[in-house]
Amino acid sequence: MPEMPAFLANVLEPRFGRRAEVTGVVDLASKLRKVRFEGEALRGVTFKAGHEVEFRVSDRAFRHYTPSAYDARAGTMEVVFFLHGQGPGSHWAANLRRGQTTNVLGPGGNFVLRDASKHVLLGDETALGLFACFARAAPGQCIGAVEVARGGGGWPALVGLDLSAAERTGERGDALLQWLEANEPAQSADVCFYLAGHTGSLIRIRERLLRRGFPRRSIRTKAYWAEGKRGL
């Protein structure tokens, strides 16, 4: 539910949300922020790596995010926010402070890890939190790359990821395609690709993998944003 009338949001958000407090804020880089949430209502829920949560980020707007870590026993959650600066979600996340409270809707969703011995993670800055969560939970080997703006080569390591940083020099997706050209795994029923972030890039990478003969079932996509649509 990206948007709804404010009067309806006033009813539904507290009814279905789980109350949580912001207990930690770390600015990892100029547009990269990690926020920790805690609350009794976060305890005991079912969470799988890749599940999403949702926040109300303005009177009418809601935005989905994928936690980079979730501990249902302790009632804690961390989210890595990439601050696009082009939408209500970025404005909301940039202004979060310790001691604030918010409602967390979810977690849920079906973009989760498959049973495979090799997981290939390909995406942009918006996928950093998702990939960090996947890398911790993956039962097999994780390889891949994160496409970042110039100067962002250290970003994967900032969230604990041992993935390549592919600096963006041309069209979005070019750097990931170049990485894939040099590092494409052998075709196997035991490999799964996870493509996340910019819609156009995911389409290009998916088409390349299909042309190379990888089966559709081994390619999972999660689009977070696209040009021409209201930003994060």
Side-chain angles (χ1 to χ4, degrees), residues 60-75:
R60 299 180 57 185
F62 291 77
R63 289 293 182 270
H64 293 268
Y65 296 96
T66 307
S68 56
Y70 197 114
D71 187 337
R73 180 174 295 179

Side-chain angles (χ1 to χ4, degrees), residues 123-146:
D124 64 10
E125 301 98 333
T126 60
L128 282 165
L130 166 68
F131 288 171
C133 198
F134 272 172
R136 292 191 192 98
Q141 179 190 18
C142 276
I143 64 172
V146 179

Side-chain angles (χ1 to χ4, degrees), residues 31-33 52 64-68 79-86 89-90 111 122-134 145-149 155-156 159 161 168 172 176 195-202 222-226 231-232:
K31 291 187 177 182
L32 197 65
R33 166 171 275 212
E52 294 180 327
H64 293 268
Y65 296 96
T66 307
S68 56
V79 179
V80 174
F81 295 96
F82 174 59
L83 306 177
H84 269 266
Q86 300 171 353
S90 291
F111 193 74
L122 297 169
D124 64 10
E125 301 98 333
T126 60
L128 282 165
L130 166 68
F131 288 171
C133 198
F134 272 172
V146 179
E147 185 175 287
V148 295
W155 281 26
V159 299
L161 273 173
R168 187 179 303 115
R172 285 189 177 273
L176 294 176
L195 316 179
H198 175 244
T199 302
S201 300
L202 310 192
K222 185 67 176 180
Y224 285 142
W225 68 282
L232 296 172

Side-chain angles (χ1 to χ4, degrees), residues 36-210:
R36 180 182 176 89
F37 301 87
E38 295 187 30
E40 285 297 319
L42 300 181
R43 295 178 184 267
V45 304
T46 299
F47 177 83
K48 293 182 179 180
H51 275 176
E52 294 180 327
V53 295
E54 192 171 9
F55 297 102
R56 185 182 181 183
V57 298
S58 71
D59 283 349
R60 299 180 57 185
F62 291 77
R63 289 293 182 270
H64 293 268
Y65 296 96
T66 307
S68 56
Y70 197 114
D71 187 337
R73 180 174 295 179
T76 63
M77 175 181 75
E78 289 183 349
V79 179
V80 174
F81 295 96
F82 174 59
L83 306 177
H84 269 266
Q86 300 171 353
S90 291
H91 178 76
W92 176 82
N95 285 281
L96 287 173
R97 299 291 183 269
R98 288 185 59 136
Q100 288 182 233
T101 57
T102 187
N103 288 311
V104 181
L105 285 78
N110 57 15
F111 193 74
V112 295
L113 288 165
R114 292 274 177 86
D115 186 15
S117 63
K118 180 171 287 188
H119 307 271
V120 186
L121 314 179
L122 297 169
D124 64 10
E125 301 98 333
T126 60
L128 282 165
L130 166 68
F131 288 171
C133 198
F134 272 172
R136 292 191 192 98
Q141 179 190 18
C142 276
I143 64 172
V146 179
E147 185 175 287
V148 295
R150 188 169 305 211
W155 281 26
L158 291 176
V159 299
L161 273 173
D162 186 22
L163 295 182
S164 300
E167 289 202 8
R168 187 179 303 115
T169 56
E171 184 180 351
R172 285 189 177 273
D174 284 355
L176 294 176
L177 287 167
Q178 290 168 10
W179 181 91
L180 191 57
E181 186 68 31
N183 298 277
E184 181 181 297
Q187 292 192 31
S188 163
D190 217 19
V191 62
C192 189
F193 294 86
Y194 305 85
L195 316 179
H198 175 244
T199 302
S201 300
L202 310 192
I203 292 171
R204 295 175 64 202
I205 298 168
R206 184 174 184 272
E207 288 176 347
R208 182 197 183 279
L209 291 171
L210 291 173

Side-chain angles (χ1 to χ4, degrees), residues 2-17:
E3 285 199 5
M4 66 173 60
F7 77 89
L8 187 57
N10 290 339
V11 174
L12 295 180
E13 181 206 1
R15 181 176 179 182
F16 294 104

